[in-house]
Amino acid sequence: MAMETGLIFHPYMRPGRTARQTFEWGVQNSVACDKAGFTSMMISEHASQIWENIPNPELIMAAAALQTSQIRFAPMAHILPHQHPTKLAVMIGWLSQILEGRYFLGIGAGAYPQASYMHGIKDAEPQMLNEMVRESLTIMEKIWKREPFFYEGKFWDAGFPEEAPAETEDDEQHMLANFAPYNGALPEIAVTGFSANSPSMKLAGERNFKPVSIFSGLDALKRHWEIYSEANIKAGFTPDRQRHAVSQTVFCADTDAEAKRLVMEGPIGYCFNKYLIPIWHRFGMMDGFAKDAGIDPADADLEFLVDNVFVVGSPDTVVDKLNTLFEGCGGWGTLQVESHDYYDDPAPWWNSLELISKEVAPRVKLPGA
Ligand code: FMN
């Protein structure tokens, strides 16, 4: 079994990109990844960030449904505290039918307090957000079952009506629409984990959902797996590292020097200097990377990240770096490549995706292999 490759599309478009450009870049990436053999594409949902400018990941998936044939899509993540669970459950069911099952569902509590604020949550306490995630899931699962209920929750009320009997033999006006996910099966659910003592990883383990982490240093990643597997075993399941997806900045070119130049001087370097390095300092992510390399987090700059944290280089170098990373943390099943804004000059990006999927992934040693 080979390591799977996925794309995660946040999409880190530089300020000034129009909605049309972002949307077009999303659909182009889905088609390119489908052709290159990527198994999944995850698309973020953000209402507040100019650099993460997709409020409705489902629109890109719907546009890509008719232009792709193999790749699976997931919102990563729908932010459950920000919407009514029935509205979301019905949309998800319909989209999974449109995609004829090439769909799984990423859920999250929300990363940015500004986005929570916009949805009426003034003090976004993690504990409350996580409770909202759990209640939303309970309601969505009931809606997908299509059995009559009425639920009065702490955050939302919702129900499913009884279908009225037919008045005459050929009467169809009483029939209820079926927006359950494709084939009536629950979609696979994936949960995003970020913090060291991740409540999301605990939820994923308890419910046997797919764990998805952002790479934020070896300790955090090892901790995610521990939290997930402990909860998973306690709930009677057998944890499978193959299901763990980890997102990482990966860029491949024909030579190491070319790859480093394209990252330092291109869209990835620009995005990190302007947006992600300050954010990583703010969210404490830099601490883990600095600890792994034995430096002061304040000294972590773009070149440090390119050389020590990102996976950048020729295919041989990228394989070596991934194998070393896997030895250090136990490995994972899907490498979720972080996408960037190569809209103006996409050729190096398409080349990188092809190399990662065709020349790197088959040579990475998987956990237990
Ligand atoms: N938060 C968002 O507001 N929108 C997103 O699209 C989003 N995507 C994420 C993707 C990944 C891979 C990860 C790891 C996190 C993402 N988040 C996103 C953050 C989550 O909403 C949430 O804040 C985080 O996973 C909480 O993790 P914790 O339970 O480990 O503290």
Side-chain angles (χ1 to χ4, degrees), residues 153-172:
K154 183 166 169 189
F155 305 104
W156 298 281
D157 295 346
F160 196 84
E162 189 105 42
E163 189 169 276
E167 284 177 16
T168 59
E169 208 179 298
D170 56 359
D171 169 25
E172 292 185 345

Side-chain angles (χ1 to χ4, degrees), residues 8 44-46 76-77 79 108-111 192-195 198-200 212 214:
I8 184 155
S44 285
E45 172 183 299
H46 290 280
M76 191 55 76
I79 304 306
T192 59
F194 173 72
S195 58
S198 177
S200 305
V212 182
I214 283 185

Side-chain angles (χ1 to χ4, degrees), residues 40 42 104 191 201 210-214 221 241-247 332-336:
S40 59
M42 299 173 169
F104 61 109
V191 189
M201 284 294 123
K210 180 181 174 68
V212 182
S213 306
I214 283 185
L221 205 55
R241 275 190 189 270
Q242 192 60 35
R243 290 183 75 203
H244 195 190
V246 176
S247 68
W332 58 75
T334 305
L335 174 66
Q336 213 68 45

Side-chain angles (χ1 to χ4, degrees), residues 12 33 49 51 53 97 124 147 156 182 216 265 307 349:
Y12 301 139
C33 285
Q49 302 303 106
W51 273 93
N53 54 346
Q97 291 180 24
E147 288 167 6
W156 298 281
Y182 187 61
S216 53
E265 296 171 14
D307 291 338
W349 181 246

Side-chain angles (χ1 to χ4, degrees), residues 84 113 129 136 171 182 185 244 331 358:
H84 193 284
L129 294 176
S136 171
D171 169 25
Y182 187 61
H244 195 190
K358 304 218 165 106

Side-chain angles (χ1 to χ4, degrees), residues 80-81 107-110 128-138 156 203:
L80 302 193
I107 59 170
M128 185 181 101
L129 294 176
N130 284 299
E131 254 186 81
M132 292 179 88
V133 165
R134 284 172 187 258
E135 185 173 295
S136 171
L137 258 182
T138 303
W156 298 281
L203 172 68

